[in-house]
């Protein structure tokens, strides 16, 4: 923490007073004093300013000094005073005698997991802590898991919070248990002391926290010596950014950026921070700079110059509040006394209690003070069931003021007192026992506490509005704790009129109205928008109050609810008709109007309106009164509709109706009609509850004007139709967005659905012909269908045909909806769950869907439940997911019959997809393509007359007109969609008639007779035939083939109805398809089968002809095919392994006897220019796109510090493989010149882009990165393709090991002596060694250039430094990359149990081949002297005696790296010899043998052997004996360091297991180096692998023979290795060493239950913020470290740039690559470097096979091991940067994220 700037000396130390001070004596003196408060204040005045210096040192030592002094000098005397005895024993006794409450009351920390039972919770705010949940019955139920924002508490033990099982096992109460008064259990002396001490301390704290004077203290607290010491204190707000605060502080107090950042972090965390300490002038100077330095948009930072004594006392006041919270945990009696003291009214009267004063001054306190006193309220008042009621009433009375303060505050709600509402109403039932009888009162107190919270509700909310902090820091946030307790909420509604108070407070803050009194949200400023966002929190409080409908009503509750209903109607009246729109004609709208605010308000009120309707449905009297009030309000809203307009008379099909002149396309229309929609909802309730039929005399049904009822909803639906028809395009996107949300699942319940219901209600009360004529009139289609000559439309040259056709389609769709949508309880005779069931069926008819998709498609109720779980299994089957994807629900086949093509919630796209999917399913089942309407449920009596729409004259005329238009094949006067809708309406009418006939006892009861209306020409004003005749004509029309099946189905139904009517009433109804029709259907099936068979035969004939032509072509061009077979591309040739017929014994990959593939040319094609070219050493260079990265995937020591680029020596890789260089490739080949041109173009494009747009891309051109031109895989270099290694000359004899060792020793001596003989050409004693002459390069200049390019790329990435071609480490790093890449691939193949050869993808195979050949040739680009020097050092380690300095011992060298380096460097030694290749091959095999022996020694030295107590019965084998012999040789050299082992089988087993990875990696290396063919046995995973592998490497299957056959040569070498000074020290425990085989690295183990992780993260504190909770705890999946991510507090500097904790961690743990789990978001984070990252699906899935990123759904999550293994495999394959690159290319928003700050 930064130190506050100071110009003062520190005061005297208090250490000397610690010794002489006695807390016991001090407390006794206070208690004996005449005025306890005066003496106590005097003590505080003397000590508090000296203890709490508060100068901002911030170091832990200073904080410890303050804590110690505070405890000894201040709090200890208070504890003695309170208890009258030693606090340790007194508090222990209190706790022992305490009988705790049944309530758990565990207060949640930020990020802690909470659980809510979906089956038993009274509402979603009722939650359990993890401990209670695990001990409760709810664990076996459906539950929801979320993370707490902090501040709430566990509801275990609250009967009102749970429908069942309110207690866990821990808090369960015995039957008949009676709660006793806890105060009565306390000693009388303690009660008296507690009242007095609590009052003095709480009053002291309240006085100081609400104190507004900056340099004076309350009476009695003035310090004995007043010094001129002040603090300049900066306060937090939620307006200024970190950057603004940092910049301001740097200017004001002249601090560094780091110090300013520390100040800003403290201000944000604690709410205020002193930034300067000194005299008044010194601090005032800083204040003036801070105040002046403000932006034009924002107000200045709040800053005060406060006297040091004031700050000190405020600090101690917070300490006392914390102390009180700790003390009352020991005893419920003390808790109740504190509640009584806090809520007791003072002499000033109302709102004078200490809690009231805190509450009403909430918005004037800083964040830290608010949090602490909120915590005290939760631990005291809200945990005591009796006092919670008192507090709640007072809160409600001040509600408006509190909310206003909060809305004008800029802090979050979490620090506002308004946030306590959630706490006040989630606790247990408030008992009706009077308060006074329950409270113990000491003699000096008169307690008659008036209500507390509700009285202040309005005041509190007003404070919240004015405040700038988030709601979580406001007292208003406590509302949820009170308002969600049903009994308490209803008590507040009755006694304090809470519902009305909340709504009036809400309406008061929406002051912008138009001339008609409607809300107007035009041109909201940023400040107004901010305030509007805060106002919405009031709706949340109203939701809490209404969340549980009452089961019993009292007259007082009815009265107050209806008063609140009046307030709701006033609110909705202000919304009715807001944001009206007028169609733009001619010119596009200039500026998009504001529309979001109105829809935000609508969405927030959706649940409120639904809850109000639910409340109304529970009481008939309330429902009737609410209906009357709503109708009255709607009548007032309709007042202006009829003004001044003469009526218009409409006439059609013999019917006339009067309406008023209005056109949606010309006049104003609004989409917001909440009053009208509320009436529709209440109208349905009248039907559902049968109130309309039982009490018709009490309802104003006679006052209803159906014409007016349908007018506004009809306008709204016509507006939607015209927008779909493209008539409102000039009105811009704002209207399109409004239409979208009107139909969207978030709004449709109280918008679109209610408009449809209102039309149904109006249609059921009107003549159906009149209703349809009004619909035609509003759609502006009346003139089309009322014309005497329907065909006249074709003769008119009408340019608006397309728009008219769309409007006709929409109008027909509306009629289908009005008649057919009966799945609302009250409209149709259905159960509520049937509506949900139908929704799910139609969603799954589109396609199989995941659970989350279905949830999103269904509207939620107030409890966030959709009803999905109760019906999903009855209509769908669940398919579990694989490693990718999600679990999907598929519709059950028996539910297909319920599909309705014109389901009212389908969008056009959904309808099209569903139609296509259903037709495809019907074809698969061999059925026709007709999609008839499903059978409808019967209508309720109030809506019963709706069916008459289907047989009315106007609809018949419309249907007839469309059918006549359809007779014309062209002309554009009709559409197939239009015809389809008419056929659907005809089908609906026929099904209705058939259903009525089947359900009736006789024909007399059936009034619906649609068939008779369509069989003969009706009264329609047309000269055409009947609808039936038209249908029969259209059935065979060739241009209507797609509708033939539907028309056929209609005609079948008509015949069926005719037959039913002809039967007697006693006969049973006949099925839909009588026998004659069955015969017709069989004929149709047979015809379809015959056609399918003919099509199959025709296909077979064509295929046979094609095959014959193909054979002829091949025969005619045999030569060309043979030639092309020989010239196949590189990957085809290399994967074909032509010599598989060789026996395993003859297949050797190393040494003079090695067998390569047949001599062949490699032909490759450039992906850029598509030219084919042969790979040769002298030709044009061909390259592979590649990506090099540093890696710690194989590391066995992640704590190792990264190497210093200047002094790092990479020649000897340590066995811990702490840092490697990995190379990968996508396998795509290019000409080097083509690639260079491409890369130059990328660079140029990037330069231009940087000028236009600042920001990162998915690749960094400055670091040489680019995307592969073909696959867009991230790359940063290219590997040159080199030709195969030539085969050795088998006629030349190769040297024995003895001769080779002798020769090599001489060469090493020569190489070592060469630097000393700089002018000599060759060293003495060597025969053909030329070490000073650089051999001529065997490659062309372009290939040499690419070799240098790749070498420099490896160098630059490996050392993180600039390229330097002269650096001798260049070839070593290239060799290192080759070795490390092979090792990582071998480990992956081993762990996945895959064959060593043949299982690699082409891209990895090509990469290894190119990389190995490059590594064998990279010495050509550097001086031979450099390579010889490396070879000399490598061989010296193995051969020199004594060991040279600075050479590692045998335990600290990775032998595979040593093998690769030695083999590749040896290539340069014999480059000038005639038999060079054969000599090289001989050397290779001897090097392999020698290093294999060294590795065997390494394994035996490090193997952990048990004592030979498990001797085998049979004699030891030869291998075991040789193993013991070698081991004993090592013991002889090392003495007692190695334990004695009498049995060799364990050693042999350790040896074989330990050396296997080395042999496998060596086989891969030599296979790619020498292009040899692998044995078939190594291309599988069967037994016998060991022998084949050894044979392939020219090794005996008994590896010990390597030592045994040459032990005279090898013993001296082994002796030298054992004499290394570090070896014995390491084995004796001086250092750690690696055991073999190395254990493969894996990602950390994660718990199966995700909540365990959340719990761990909730207890994680930021390591740099003094125990503060981390906001974004993030888990490293590689090492398990928990980090404080995305926070300024934990930023560190890396390479001169500040980066977040995760980015910094990647450089120490993953060499720049990191995998993290963001615990609170359930999100995997991939990071590569500072500028690249992406989010990846987490491995935790819910029961539906889905991830829950952000924990939004709250379903329990469990670990999916397959997905976690996939992430692990990505990491081990080094694929993280590639995944990030692809993700950023696919989603450009990822590029803009500042990944370095995470």
């Amino acid at each position: 923490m930064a130190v506050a700037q100071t110009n003062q000396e520190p005061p005297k130390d208090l250490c000397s007073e610690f010794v002489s001070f006695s807390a016991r004596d001090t407390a006794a003196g206070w208690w004996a004093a005449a005025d306890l408060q005066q003496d106590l204040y005097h003590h505080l005045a003397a000590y508090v300013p000296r203890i709490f210096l508060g100068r901002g040192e911030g170091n832990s030592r200073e904080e410890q000094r303050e804590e110690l002094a505070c405890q000894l000098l201040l709090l200890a005397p208070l504890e003695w005073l309170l208890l009258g005895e030693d606090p340790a024993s007194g508090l222990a006794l209190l706790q022992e005698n305490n009988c705790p409450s049944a309530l758990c009351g565990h207060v949640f920390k930020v990020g802690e997991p909470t659980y809510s039972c979906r089956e038993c919770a009274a509402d979603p705010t009722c939650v359990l802590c993890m401990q209670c949940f695990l001990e409760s019955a709810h664990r076996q139920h459906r539950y929801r898991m979320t993370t707490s924002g902090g501040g709430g508490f566990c509801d275990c033990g609250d009967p009102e919070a749970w429908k069942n099982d309110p207690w866990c096992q821990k808090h369960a109460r015995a039957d008949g248990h009676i709660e006793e008064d806890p105060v009565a259990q306390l000693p009388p002396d303690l009660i008296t002391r507690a009242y007095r001490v609590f009052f003095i301390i709480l009053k002291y704290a309240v006085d100081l926290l609400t104190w507004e004077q900056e340099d004076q203290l309350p009476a009695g607290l003035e310090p004995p010596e007043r010094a001129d010491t002040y603090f300049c204190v900066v306060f937090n707000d939620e307006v200024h950014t970190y950057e603004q605060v940092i910049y301001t502080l740097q200017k004001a107090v002249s601090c560094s950026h780091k110090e300013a950042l520390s100040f800003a972090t403290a201000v944000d965390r604690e709410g205020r921070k002193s930034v300067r300490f000194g005299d008044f002038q010194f601090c005032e100077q800083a204040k003036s700079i801070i105040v002046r330095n403000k932006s034009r948009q924002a107000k200045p930072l709040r800053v005060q110059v406060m006297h040091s004594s004031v700050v000190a006392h405020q600090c101690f006041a917070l300490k006392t509040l914390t102390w009180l919270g700790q003390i009352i945990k020991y005893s419920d009696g003390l808790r109740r006394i504190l509640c009584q003291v806090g809520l007791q009214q003072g002499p000033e009267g109302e709102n004078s209690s200490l809690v009231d004063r805190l509450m009403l001054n909430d918005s004037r306190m800083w964040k830290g003070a608010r949090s602490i006193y909120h915590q005290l309220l939760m631990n005291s008042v809200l945990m005591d069931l009796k006092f919670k009621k008192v507090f709640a009433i007072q809160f409600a009375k001040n509600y408006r003021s509190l909310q206003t303060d909060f809305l004008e505050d800029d802090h979050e709600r979490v620090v506002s007192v308004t946030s306590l509402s959630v706490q006040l109403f989630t606790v247990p039932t408030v008992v009706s026992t009077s308060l006074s009888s329950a409270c113990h009162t000491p003699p000096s107190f008169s307690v008659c506490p008036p209500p507390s919270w509700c009285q202040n509700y309005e005041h509190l909310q007003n404070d919240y509005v004015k405040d700038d902090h988030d709601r979580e820091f406001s007292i208003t946030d406590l509302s949820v704790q009170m308002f969600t307790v049903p009994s308490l909420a209803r008590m507040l509604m009755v006694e304090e009129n809470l519902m009305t108070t909340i709504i009036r407070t809400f309406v008061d803050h929406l002051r912008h109205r138009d001339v008609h009194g409607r809300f107007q949200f035009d041109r909201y400023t940023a400040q107004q928008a901010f305030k509007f966002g805060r106002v919405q929190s009031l709706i949340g409080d109203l939701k809490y109050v209404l969340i549980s409908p009452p089961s019993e009503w009292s007259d007082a509750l009815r009265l107050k609810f209806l008063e609140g209903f009046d307030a709701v109607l006033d609110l909705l009246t202000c919304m009715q008709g807001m944001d009206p729109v007028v169609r733009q004609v001619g010119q596009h709208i200039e500026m998009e109007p504001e529309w979001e605010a109105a829809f935000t308000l609508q969405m927030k009120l959706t649940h409120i309106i639904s809850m109000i309707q639910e409340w109304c449905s529970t009481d008939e009297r309330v429902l009737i009164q609410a209906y009357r009030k709503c109708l009255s309000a709607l009548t007032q809203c309709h007042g202006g509709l009829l003004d001044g307009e003469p009526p218009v008379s409409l006439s059609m099909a013999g019917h006339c109706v009067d309406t008023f002149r209005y056109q949606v396309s010309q006049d104003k229309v609004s989409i917001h009609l909440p009053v009208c929609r509320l009436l529709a909802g209440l109208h349905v309730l009248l039907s559902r509850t049968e109130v309309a039929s039982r009490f018709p005399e009490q309802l104003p049904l006679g006052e209803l004007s159906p014409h007016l009822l349908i007018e506004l909803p009809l306008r709204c639906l016509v507006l939607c139709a015209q927008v779909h028809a493209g008539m409102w395009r000039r009105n811009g996107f704002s209207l399109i967005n409004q239409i979208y949300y009107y139909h969207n699942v978030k709004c449709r319940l109280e918008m679109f659905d209610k408009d449809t219901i209102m039309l149904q209600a109006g249609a059921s009360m009107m003549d159906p012909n009149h209703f349809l004529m009004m619909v035609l009139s509003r759609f502006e289609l009346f003139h089309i269908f009322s014309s005497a000559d329907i065909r006249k439309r074709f003769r008119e040259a009408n340019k608006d045909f397309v728009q008219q056709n769309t409007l006709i389609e929409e109008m027909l769709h509306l009629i289908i909806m009005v008649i057919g949508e009966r799945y609302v309880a009250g409209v149709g005779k259905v159960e509520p769950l049937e509506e949900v069931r139908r929704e799910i069926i139609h969603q799954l008819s589109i396609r199989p869907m995941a659970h989350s998709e279905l949830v999103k498609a269904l509207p939620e109720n107030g409890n966030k439940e959709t009803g999905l779980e109760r019906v999903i299994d009855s209509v769908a089957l669940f398919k579990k997911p694989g490693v990718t994807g999600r679990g999907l629900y598929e519709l059950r086949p028996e539910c297909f019959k319920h599909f309705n093509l014109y389901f009212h919630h389908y969008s056009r796209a959904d309808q099209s997809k569903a139609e296509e999917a259903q037709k495809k399913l019907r074809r698969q089942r061999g059925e026709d393509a007709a999609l008839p309407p499903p059978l409808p449920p019967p209508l309720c009596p109030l809506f019963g007359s709706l069916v008459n729409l289907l047989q009315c004259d106007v609809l018949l005329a419309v249907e007839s007109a469309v059918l006549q238009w359809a007779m014309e094949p062209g002309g554009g006067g009709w559409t197939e969609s239009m015809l389809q809708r008419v056929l659907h309406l005809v089908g609906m009418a026929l099904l209705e008639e058939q259903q009525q006939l089947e359900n009736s006892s006789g024909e007399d009861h059936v009034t619906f007779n649609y068939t008779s209306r369509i069989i003969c020409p009706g009264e329609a004003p047309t000269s055409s035939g009947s609808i039936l005749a038209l249908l029969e004509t259209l059935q065979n029309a060739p241009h209507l083939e797609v509708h033939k099946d539907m028309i056929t189905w209609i005609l079948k139904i008509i015949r069926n109805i005719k037959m039913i009517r002809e039967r007697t009433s006693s006969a049973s109804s006949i099925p839909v398809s009588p026998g004659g029709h069955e015969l017709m259907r069989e004929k149709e099936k047979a015809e379809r089968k015959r056609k399918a068979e003919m099509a199959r035969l025709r296909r077979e004939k064509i295929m046979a002809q094609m095959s014959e032509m193909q054979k002829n072509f091949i025969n005619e061009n045999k030569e060309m095919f043979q030639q092309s077979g020989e010239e196949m591309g590189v990957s085809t040739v290399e994967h074909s392994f032509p010599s598989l017929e060789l026996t395993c014994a003859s297949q050797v990959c190393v040494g003079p006897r090695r067998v390569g593939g047949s001599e062949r040319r490699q032909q490759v094609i450039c992906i850029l220019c598509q030219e084919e070219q042969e790979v040769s050493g002298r030709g044009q260079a061909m390259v592979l796109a590649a990506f090099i990265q540093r890696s710690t995937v194989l590391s066995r020591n992640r704590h190792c510090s990264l190497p210093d680029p200047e002094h790092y020596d990479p020649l000897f890789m340590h066995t811990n493989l702490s840092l490697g260089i990995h190379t990968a490739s996508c396998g795509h080949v290019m000409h080097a010149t083509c690639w260079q041109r491409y890369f130059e173009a990328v660079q140029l494009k990037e330069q231009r882009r940087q000028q236009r747009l600042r920001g990162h891309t998915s690749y960094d051109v400055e670091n040489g990165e680019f995307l592969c031109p073909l696959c867009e895989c991230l790359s940063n270099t290219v590997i040159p393709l080199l030709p195969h290694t030539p085969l050795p000359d088998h006629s030349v004899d190769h040297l024995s090991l003895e001769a080779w060792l002798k020769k090599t020793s001489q060469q090493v001596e020569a190489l070592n002596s060469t630097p000393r003989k700089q002018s000599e050409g060759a060293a003495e004693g060597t025969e053909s060694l030329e070490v000073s002459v650089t051999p001529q390069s065997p490659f062309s200049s372009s290939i040499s250039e690419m070799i240098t390019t790749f070498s420099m790329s490896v160098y630059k990435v490996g050392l993180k430094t600039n390229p330097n071609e002269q650096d001798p480490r260049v070839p070593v790093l290239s060799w290192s990359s080759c070795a490390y890449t092979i090792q990582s691939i071998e480990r992956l193949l081993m762990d996945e149990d895959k064959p060593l050869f043949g299982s690699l993808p082409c891209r990895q195979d090509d990469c290894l081949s190119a990389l190995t050949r490059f590594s064998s040739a990279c010495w050509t680009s550097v001086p031979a002297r450099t390579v010889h020097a490396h070879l000399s050092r490598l061989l010296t380690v193995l051969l020199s005696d004594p060991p040279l300095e600075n050479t590692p011992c045998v335990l600290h060298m990775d032998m595979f790296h040593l093998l690769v380096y030695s083999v590749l460097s040896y290539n340069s030694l014999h480059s000038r010899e005639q038999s060079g290749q054969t000599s090289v091959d001989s050397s290779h095999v001897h090097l392999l043998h020698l290093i294999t022996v060294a590795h065997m020694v390494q394994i035996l030295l490090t193997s952990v052997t048990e004592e030979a107590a498990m001797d085998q019965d049979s004699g030891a084998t030869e291998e075991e004996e040789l193993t013991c012999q070698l081991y004993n040789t090592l013991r002889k050299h090392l003495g007692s360091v190695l334990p004695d082992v009498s049995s060799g089988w364990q050693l042999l087993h350790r040896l074989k297991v330990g050396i296997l990875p080395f042999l496998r990696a060596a086989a891969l290396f030599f296979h790619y180096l020498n292009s040899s063919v692998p044995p078939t046995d190594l291309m599988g995973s069967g037994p016998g692998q060991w022998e084949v592998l050894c044979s392939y490497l020219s090794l005996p299957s008994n590896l010990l023979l390597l030592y045994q056959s040459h032990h005279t040569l090898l013993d001296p070498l082994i002796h030298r290795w054992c004499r290394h000074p570090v070896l014995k020290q390491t084995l004796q425990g001086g250092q750690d060493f690696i055991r073999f085989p190395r254990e493969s690295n894996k990602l950390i183990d994660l718990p199966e239950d995700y909540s365990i992780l959340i719990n761990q993260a909730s207890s994680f504190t930021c390591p740099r913020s003094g125990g503060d909770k981390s906001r974004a705890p993030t888990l490293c999946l590689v090492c398990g470290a928990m980090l404080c991510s995305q926070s300024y507090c934990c930023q560190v500097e890396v390479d001169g740039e500040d980066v977040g904790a995760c980015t910094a961690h990647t450089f120490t743990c993953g060499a720049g690559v990191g995998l993290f789990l963001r615990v609170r978001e359930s999100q995997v984070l991939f990071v590569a470097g500072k500028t690249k990252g992406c989010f990846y699906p987490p491995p935790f899935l819910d029961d539906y096979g889905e991830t829950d990123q952000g924990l939004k759904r709250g379903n329990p999550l469990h670990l999916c091991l397959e997905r976690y293994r996939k992430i692990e495999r990505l990491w081990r394959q080094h694929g993280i940067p590639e995944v990030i690159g692809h993700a950023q290319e696919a989603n450009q928003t990822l590029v803009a994220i500042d990944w370095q700050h995470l």
Side-chain angles (χ1 to χ4, degrees), residues 845-847 899 901 906 908-924 929 931 980:
S845 296
I846 303 172
R847 58 181 172 80
F899 173 71
L901 179 59
Y906 274 161
R908 288 188 159 196
D910 289 341
Q911 184 182 356
S912 176
K913 291 175 187 173
E915 181 179 12
E916 188 177 341
Q918 291 306 305
K919 285 185 175 179
K920 183 179 178 182
L921 282 170
R922 293 178 74 92
R923 283 196 301 269
Q924 289 173 353
L931 294 173
Q980 198 174 14

Side-chain angles (χ1 to χ4, degrees), residues 509-522:
H509 291 292
L510 298 177
R511 300 190 182 96
H512 295 270
R513 313 284 172 89
D514 63 10
V515 292
H516 302 290
R518 298 175 296 213
F519 292 140
Q520 191 170 17
F521 299 105
D522 291 346

Side-chain angles (χ1 to χ4, degrees), residues 732-941:
F733 284 107
S734 62
L735 182 59
I736 294 172
N737 291 330
Q738 290 184 66
I739 300 298
Y740 168 78
Y741 277 104
Y742 173 75
H743 290 99
N744 186 268
V745 66
K746 292 180 180 178
C747 299
R748 72 181 182 216
L749 184 66
E750 294 300 331
M751 295 188 84
F752 171 66
D753 290 358
K754 288 295 190 290
D755 284 347
T756 307
I757 290 172
M758 186 54 93
L759 288 184
Q760 290 175 315
S764 64
M765 292 185 274
M766 292 173 66
D767 182 296
N769 293 291
H770 294 173
F771 173 78
L772 289 175
M773 288 161 72
M774 286 191 66
V775 169
L776 285 171
S777 172
R778 292 295 172 257
F779 271 90
E780 301 171 26
L781 299 171
F782 190 80
H783 63 286
I784 296 175
F785 291 99
S786 61
S787 169
D789 184 4
I790 290 294
R791 293 179 180 272
K792 179 184 175 185
R793 188 163 185 248
F794 288 95
R795 296 192 292 271
E796 295 176 352
N798 193 338
K799 65 180 179 180
D800 294 330
F801 257 10
V802 176
Q803 287 184 354
Q804 281 187 1
N805 287 342
T806 305
L807 288 176
I808 293 171
E809 291 170 11
E810 293 291 328
M811 183 267 297
L812 291 170
H813 193 183
L814 176 61
I815 296 171
I816 291 171
M817 288 193 298
V818 169
I819 300 169
E821 290 307 324
R822 309 177 184 183
Y823 281 86
V824 174
V827 177
K829 294 178 180 178
V830 294
E831 295 298 320
L833 282 179
E834 287 186 55
E835 184 178 4
V836 180
R837 187 170 181 270
R838 182 167 178 255
E839 289 275 358
I840 296 170
I841 287 173
H842 283 86
Q843 289 300 325
L844 295 179
S845 296
I846 303 172
R847 58 181 172 80
M849 286 187 177
H851 183 268
S852 60
E853 291 178 288
L854 287 172
V855 170
K856 284 179 185 174
L858 297 172
E860 292 181 338
N861 63 13
N863 285 332
K864 297 187 177 179
E865 289 292 318
T866 61
L868 170 72
E869 309 297 338
R870 298 170 64 182
V871 295
I872 183 66
D873 292 330
S874 67
V875 298
L877 299 166
F878 183 66
K879 280 181 63 178
K880 290 187 176 180
V883 180
T884 58
R886 301 180 287 182
L888 296 176
Y889 281 103
E890 290 183 347
L891 191 62
R892 292 179 181 269
E894 59 267 27
C895 296
F896 291 152
K897 63 184 179 184
H898 299 296
F899 173 71
N900 180 4
L901 179 59
Y902 295 101
F903 177 61
H904 66 315
H905 288 158
Y906 274 161
S907 65
R908 288 188 159 196
D910 289 341
Q911 184 182 356
S912 176
K913 291 175 187 173
E915 181 179 12
E916 188 177 341
Q918 291 306 305
K919 285 185 175 179
K920 183 179 178 182
L921 282 170
R922 293 178 74 92
R923 283 196 301 269
Q924 289 173 353
R925 297 202 305 268
E927 300 175 6
D928 56 42
L931 294 173
L935 286 172
L939 289 162
C940 291

Side-chain angles (χ1 to χ4, degrees), residues 1304-1360:
T1304 303
S1305 297
Q1306 292 173 344
Q1307 290 173 342
V1308 169
E1309 290 176 13
L1311 292 172
N1312 287 336
S1313 64
T1314 299
R1316 295 192 295 270
K1317 302 179 180 180
Q1318 297 176 4
S1319 58
E1320 297 178 15
E1324 185 180 349
T1326 57
E1327 298 167 6
S1328 60
L1329 187 65
E1330 298 183 19
V1331 295
S1332 61
V1333 180
T1334 301
Q1336 184 181 0
S1337 173
F1339 303 117
S1340 65
S1341 59
S1342 67
I1343 291 181
S1344 297
E1345 183 185 348
M1346 288 299 105
I1347 289 175
T1348 304
T1349 298
F1350 184 70
S1351 299
M1352 286 298 100
S1353 297
V1354 178
Y1355 177 86
K1356 185 173 69 172
V1357 173
L1359 293 182
K1360 289 288 180 188

Side-chain angles (χ1 to χ4, degrees), residues 1-15:
M1 182 58 66
V3 180
Q5 193 179 33
T6 177
N7 67 350
Q8 296 284 327
E9 291 297 320
K12 279 191 306 183
D13 196 56
L14 292 165
C15 295

Side-chain angles (χ1 to χ4, degrees), residues 1560-1575:
R1560 287 166 55 89
L1564 280 173
F1565 171 62
F1566 285 114
H1567 161 69
Y1568 288 110
L1569 179 69
N1570 296 324
S1571 307
S1572 56
V1573 180

